[in-house]
Amino acid sequence: MQDFIESHKSPSLFSLSCETSTGKFAPYVLPEESSTVQESCENPYNLNVVTCKSPDLQAFLNEVDGLEMNTRVNSRIVKLPHYMPVFDKNVSHLPTLSNDFPVVGVSLIDIINNGIMHKAGSLHEGKEPAIRSSLLESPCFDNKKIILFTSGPDSLIENIWHKRHRIRYFEIISGMGLLAATGFNFSLINGECAFSQGLNIKRSLQSCLEYENSGIAAIPHVYALNSHQARRWVDWFRSNPNIEYFAINCQLQKSTHDINQVIALINYILGRLPRLHVILQGFPYKRLKDFNALINNIHIADASPVKNAMGHRKVLLYPGTKVYKSLSQSNLSVSELILNNIDCRKVMLDHERAKINNVKKSSGLLKKVS
């Protein structure tokens, strides 16, 4: 089994100036984690990230009860299908899906108004975010269980988190009839302050607790950039035996190295805790084969069918080959394209799972499909 992949860079001048190098935050953030820091931790205004040198550091620690991963989450989630399409805010184009798709997803960015704004070529926090509380009342969500993927640009995530009490975020979300919500997708970025990574792991767990306290089942969102962080997650799952699912947002992991790191992290966790299942948001289908014997623990949350259809692109499944292409298509409505694209993507996933399971069966490795 492939073990966890770490990014190795020579320590920089910023490594020794990071407060984690002194052991100040051990055992939660180890001194050696500072060796990956490649940029200054000086950030007095907490722009995009809270570092070890933040003047408000203690307030951020108090908010999440320190860096220890001692947050208890008890949500039990019903058995989830292996393929879950992700809808968006353009509900007028969204069709009613068959019972083959009992669970659908929505992303945070689609249930928020004014959460972010474009300015000078980049994203910034919106001034007064508001929740589209009636979005899920659209007929396309009828008789569907809905998962909220609390993922999106850092500027959106930070904005909603900081203003969550003022905008009554959890109170309003709890009335929207969700099956579950994933923990906030706080970023872990290679090269940034090692303390910020430990803090963001804890903040994501804190968001799960706040979902639970609001009556919403929580699915932890997992990121790890080194073996210490991965071990902490394994220990946390062992201490929270009710948790069966976790999520990873892969939409920004485009390079081969980044995808390899996601696969290695999943192999690391599931190899030690085979009771767990992972929901991958935006994972490339061509890499599903890399999961081998773990394929039945993999679930796909997929927004690409809707996005392609909104761009008038059709997923084409070639008979007998199970290969697909996105082609320009103008003679079908957006709703018809969405139905086609979702059906084809599910067929592709079923085909990949069947291929892997057939190999497992022939080699005597097949376990009960869950």
Side-chain angles (χ1 to χ4, degrees), residues 259-279:
I259 295 298
N260 286 344
Q261 192 174 49
V262 170
I263 293 169
L265 173 61
I266 292 167
N267 284 339
Y268 184 94
I269 295 174
L270 296 187
R272 289 156 177 79
L273 294 167
R275 68 177 174 82
L276 292 174
H277 289 239
V278 58
I279 306 167

Side-chain angles (χ1 to χ4, degrees), residues 250-261:
C250 311
Q251 294 178 97
L252 296 181
Q253 279 79 10
K254 302 298 183 184
S255 71
T256 299
H257 172 271
D258 287 348
I259 295 298
N260 286 344
Q261 192 174 49

Side-chain angles (χ1 to χ4, degrees), residues 203-264:
R203 287 206 291 172
S204 187
L205 276 178
Q206 180 67 24
S207 73
C208 288
L209 179 61
E210 295 199 26
Y211 272 128
E212 269 201 355
N213 289 342
S214 300
I216 304 168
I219 299 172
H221 183 276
V222 173
Y223 273 156
L225 298 179
N226 58 54
S227 55
H228 173 62
Q229 293 170 356
R231 284 194 299 270
R232 294 186 76 203
W233 275 114
V234 169
D235 290 342
W236 185 84
F237 282 119
R238 285 174 174 155
S239 298
N240 291 265
N242 280 349
I243 300 300
E244 299 177 40
Y245 292 91
F246 64 96
I248 299 180
N249 178 20
C250 311
Q251 294 178 97
L252 296 181
Q253 279 79 10
K254 302 298 183 184
S255 71
T256 299
H257 172 271
D258 287 348
I259 295 298
N260 286 344
Q261 192 174 49
V262 170
I263 293 169

Side-chain angles (χ1 to χ4, degrees), residues 126-342:
K127 291 185 178 180
E128 198 56 47
I131 301 168
R132 296 187 178 99
S133 57
S134 62
L135 179 72
L136 305 187
E137 296 173 7
S138 172
C140 61
F141 293 106
D142 286 351
N143 301 315
K144 301 298 179 188
K145 295 181 173 67
I146 305 163
I147 294 176
L148 171 62
F149 290 93
T150 318
S151 56
D154 289 345
S155 51
L156 174 65
I157 295 293
E158 295 288 349
N159 192 24
I160 301 304
W161 181 250
H162 292 321
K163 297 174 182 175
R164 65 192 186 281
H165 299 306
R166 192 172 88 199
I167 66 175
R168 300 168 48 243
Y169 174 80
F170 289 102
E171 180 182 346
I172 294 173
I173 292 295
S174 68
M176 294 176 67
L178 296 170
L179 169 67
T182 65
F184 273 56
N185 176 196
F186 292 108
S187 295
L188 272 63
I189 299 177
N190 271 314
E192 286 191 350
C193 176
F195 165 83
S196 72
Q197 296 171 10
L199 178 65
N200 280 351
I201 289 172
K202 185 60 182 290
R203 287 206 291 172
S204 187
L205 276 178
Q206 180 67 24
S207 73
C208 288
L209 179 61
E210 295 199 26
Y211 272 128
E212 269 201 355
N213 289 342
S214 300
I216 304 168
I219 299 172
H221 183 276
V222 173
Y223 273 156
L225 298 179
N226 58 54
S227 55
H228 173 62
Q229 293 170 356
R231 284 194 299 270
R232 294 186 76 203
W233 275 114
V234 169
D235 290 342
W236 185 84
F237 282 119
R238 285 174 174 155
S239 298
N240 291 265
N242 280 349
I243 300 300
E244 299 177 40
Y245 292 91
F246 64 96
I248 299 180
N249 178 20
C250 311
Q251 294 178 97
L252 296 181
Q253 279 79 10
K254 302 298 183 184
S255 71
T256 299
H257 172 271
D258 287 348
I259 295 298
N260 286 344
Q261 192 174 49
V262 170
I263 293 169
L265 173 61
I266 292 167
N267 284 339
Y268 184 94
I269 295 174
L270 296 187
R272 289 156 177 79
L273 294 167
R275 68 177 174 82
L276 292 174
H277 289 239
V278 58
I279 306 167
L280 299 180
Q281 188 181 6
F283 188 82
Y285 271 46
K286 64 183 179 181
R287 299 300 304 274
L288 286 169
K289 63 182 183 298
D290 292 79
F291 292 114
N292 297 313
L294 296 174
I295 190 63
N296 292 319
N297 297 66
I298 306 298
H299 303 253
I300 297 296
D302 189 11
S304 67
V306 174
K307 290 180 178 178
N308 278 324
M310 297 301 293
H312 298 281
R313 298 177 68 83
K314 178 183 179 182
V315 176
L316 181 62
L317 194 64
Y318 288 105
T321 63
K322 303 296 187 290
V323 176
Y324 73 98
K325 292 182 179 179
S326 292
L327 302 175
S328 296
Q329 187 66 239
S330 59
N331 61 337
L332 294 176
S333 70
V334 170
S335 181
E336 290 170 327
L337 282 171
I338 291 173
L339 285 171
N340 171 85
N341 293 356
I342 287 175

